[in-house]
Amino acid sequence: MNLQQALDILKSKGYKYTGKRERMVQIFSREDRYLTPKEVLGEMQEDYPGLSVDTVYRNLSLFEDLGIVEGTEWEGERRYRLHCGGDPHHHHLICKECGRTRSLNVCPMNAILGEPEDFTITGHKFEIFGYCKDCEAVSKNEGNCTHS
Amino acid sequence: MNLQQALDILKSKGYKYTGKRERMVQIFSREDRYLTPKEVLGEMQEDYPGLSVDTVYRNLSLFEDLGIVEGTEWEGERRYRLHCGGDPHHHHLICKECGRTRSLNVCPMNAILGEPEDFTITGHKFEIFGYCKDCEAVSKNEGNCTHS
DNA sequence: GCTACAAAACGGAATAATTCCGTTTTACAA
DNA sequence: TTGTAAAACGGAATTATTCCGTTTTGTAGC
């Protein structure tokens, strides 16, 4: 999903179109990687000093409900990125260090034959974690540190 | 992994073998499903009233490092279950309501051809979420409630 | 069995993430 | 231009998790 599509969702679904919401979508579009709520707050405060954390959390939650962003978590921290939907369904390689992703064109659900008995599927998650080339160099220098 | 295997790991790795750790492994073995730290604490306190939360968190973390339990999270809550390792590598259908799982004998990594360029894989996650038969009936009665 | 010591547990407090709520501001429809 | 419901505010409450100095305990060696 690109910036315009995301903004269109906000407009068309009848939610108020505020500068803060637009800015927040722009951040996700520009960064194009997984961000923690804290990172989002930090970038927002460059334009809106003193922005309430509640506003970020509320909008992250709204954006997730609207399918504008998608969330996951690793190393105990929740993260969000612009939703990739619209394009054919796919999954990601995720760099645990910088949050950047690479698309995988396989979905393991294709190998699942129909609905299993006595179980209703509501969703699935397939993610490959690791380090991209840039970040691997960094993590090697850090030795055994459990970097946050 | 069964109860005895889990206890053997604790003994053989040179960690102290305490009644609390044994009890905690028993709980995971008996429940055989994903449990939140709070649920674990609750069950532990039946035998050890006033047990420190720190003890539960410390041991959960240790058990995860030792491969005795495996963790994941959904709906914003961290959960742990007895590690299924030892058996051939596999993944799970997970009931979001009760935390019970069903094994899947497919692993999508088999379809990933070698290591992608410029990316070092350290792990992967494939989980299918939904509701088991028992819990689906419950969730239907609850209507639109976002049950916790 | 007894002792010494390091590891485990304690427990209260610190930290951090997230949510709540009453009030103020604002986008937008009429 | 105005009225109104939604959004944002912001401080406080809640909750999860970790920290740390102290006490207890498992276990190896005597």
Side-chain angles (χ1 to χ4, degrees), chain B residues 26-92:
Chain B
Q26 279 175 349
I27 288 168
F28 278 108
S29 176
R30 171 160 49 78
E31 293 280 347
D32 191 33
R33 62 190 183 92
Y34 277 105
L35 298 168
T36 63
K38 195 195 295 181
E39 285 175 310
V40 175
L41 180 66
E43 295 209 38
M44 288 292 289
Q45 287 183 334
E46 291 173 13
D47 294 279
Y48 301 97
L51 180 78
S52 169
V53 291
D54 199 32
T55 298
V56 170
Y57 278 108
R58 233 179 326 97
N59 282 329
L60 283 175
S61 175
L62 173 67
F63 289 0
E64 191 171 25
D65 289 346
L66 294 179
I68 293 174
V69 301
E70 56 188 306
T72 190
E73 70 87 40
W74 67 88
E75 286 172 358
E77 288 192 276
R78 189 162 297 281
R79 332 246 177 169
Y80 299 89
R81 61 157 294 153
L82 205 58
H83 199 289
C84 301
D87 317 325
H89 173 72
H90 63 275
H91 296 278
H92 288 132

Side-chain angles (χ1 to χ4, degrees), chain B residues 116-132:
Chain B
E117 277 184 33
D118 298 344
F119 194 94
T120 306
I121 293 175
T122 60
H124 68 281
K125 178 175 279 197
F126 175 43
E127 293 168 331
I128 300 179
F129 292 100
Y131 295 99
C132 67

